[in-house]
Amino acid sequence: MIPPISSSRPVPTVLVELACPNTADTARAHAALLGLPDGSSSGGDSFSVVVGNTELRLRESAGADTEGDAAFDAEGDAAFDAEGDAAFDAEHRVYFTVDDLAAARRLLIRRGFPVSDSQSDPGPVGETTPLGIAEASGSEPIPVGDITGMDHLVFAGDDRDRAVALFGGVFGLDFRLDQPIGDAARQLFFRADDLIVEVVTGIRAADTPAPSAAASLWGVAWRAPDIEVTHARLSDVGLDVSEIRAGRKKGTRIFTVRERALGTRTVVIGPA
């Protein structure tokens, strides 16, 4: 793995930067989701919070409109239409935190991952793929509530080999599992400390051009030690949540938070 920050205190493993059409609305939605104190939702573009292993930031979307609403299937899982998917997913960015930013940048380039730099970005990010590296902000994590951090991030990609090369080769994540899930799709699992990175890929036809990005963020799964408590709290504050159901991973339960203002597909997962 790209050398992480070493510190005696908990630091985020990853920085998730969500692009959204209205940062104030998205900040309020995440403040409610995470149980932040009143007033934490102000600030729009300046919204930044550390929850366990994850730092969450927001930024204004460059071109997405508000017409790509989220739709939900009968099982309560989030499913965005094709237009909304392309508009928002491609703009979200994920940065893995590192100790020595300059050294990690050089390593990415040597591994064939060209990056671009901007003073407005937390750190170098891929020229065509919305993944990068950053130093942790140094912000203190919020007091532990009923959501304690990120369980896993879900990425979508068209090509299995490109995804393995990107997450396992370039970023050096621990490649744990590769399994078929039907319809010529595969499910890949990587680990970065206690964070799981899941990548769902399809098999691209030989005559189909390769997409510019090897993967893009598709959704997030927050971790809750007591899923009943979290479900009840979110219901009480007026968020639209599905029923709790068995997770695909043995010994887990999960529910969907059906709020388009969150900016990405969002679930909460915990032990059964």
Side-chain angles (χ1 to χ4, degrees):
M1 180 178 174
I2 295 288
I5 288 177
S6 55
S7 174
S8 58
R9 71 171 180 84
V11 296
T13 301
V14 69
L15 189 161
V16 176
E17 187 180 69
L18 298 179
C20 41
N22 187 315
T23 54
D25 286 350
T26 302
R28 283 191 290 269
H30 277 95
L33 172 71
L34 300 172
L36 302 183
D38 291 342
S40 299
S41 60
S42 63
D45 282 334
S46 64
F47 180 90
S48 175
V49 62
V50 177
V51 186
N53 59 3
T54 300
E55 180 175 355
L56 177 67
R57 295 186 188 180
L58 307 178
R59 64 181 174 84
E60 197 76 23
S61 170
D65 58 31
T66 58
E67 299 301 318
D69 293 348
F72 298 87
D73 61 27
E75 298 299 321
D77 290 326
F80 279 48
D81 60 39
E83 181 178 351
D85 202 33
F88 291 96
D89 293 357
E91 291 191 54
H92 300 325
R93 293 176 180 174
V94 174
Y95 300 83
F96 295 102
T97 57
V98 297
D99 190 16
D100 188 331
L101 194 62
R105 182 185 185 279
R106 290 193 297 270
L107 182 58
L108 287 182
I109 294 172
R110 288 203 304 269
R111 289 176 174 177
F113 187 74
V115 298
S116 60
D117 299 275
S118 170
Q119 291 185 345
S120 63
D121 294 333
V125 66
E127 290 182 352
T128 59
T129 297
L131 286 174
I133 52 173
E135 293 179 331
S137 66
S139 300
E140 290 295 327
I142 64 171
V144 174
D146 56 81
I147 290 180
T148 58
M150 190 71 71
D151 187 83
H152 61 278
L153 301 174
V154 182
F155 291 82
D158 282 354
D159 186 88
R160 180 261 184 203
D161 291 342
R162 289 183 76 198
V164 171
L166 176 63
F167 290 97
V170 173
F171 285 93
L173 304 189
D174 184 6
F175 187 18
R176 292 295 188 93
L177 180 65
D178 175 0
Q179 63 183 10
I181 55 174
D183 295 329
R186 303 197 70 83
Q187 194 174 30
L188 315 175
F189 290 93
F190 303 82
R191 183 176 284 275
D193 296 330
D194 67 339
L195 174 71
I196 297 169
V197 173
E198 175 185 347
V199 187
V200 179
T201 68
I203 296 177
R204 180 169 44 87
D207 59 349
T208 303
S212 58
S216 57
L217 184 67
W218 190 89
V220 301
W222 292 98
R223 180 185 300 136
D226 190 329
I227 201 164
E228 297 277 0
V229 168
T230 303
H231 189 270
R233 177 180 64 81
L234 298 186
S235 297
D236 288 346
V237 299
L239 295 185
D240 184 5
V241 295
S242 73
E243 295 297 319
I244 298 174
R245 58 194 184 277
R248 291 186 178 182
K249 182 180 179 181
K250 185 177 180 180
T252 64
R253 292 192 296 166
I254 192 171
F255 65 86
T256 303
V257 186
R258 301 180 291 202
E259 294 287 340
R260 60 176 272 206
L262 290 172
T264 190
R265 306 162 187 82
T266 301
V267 302
V268 177
I269 188 170

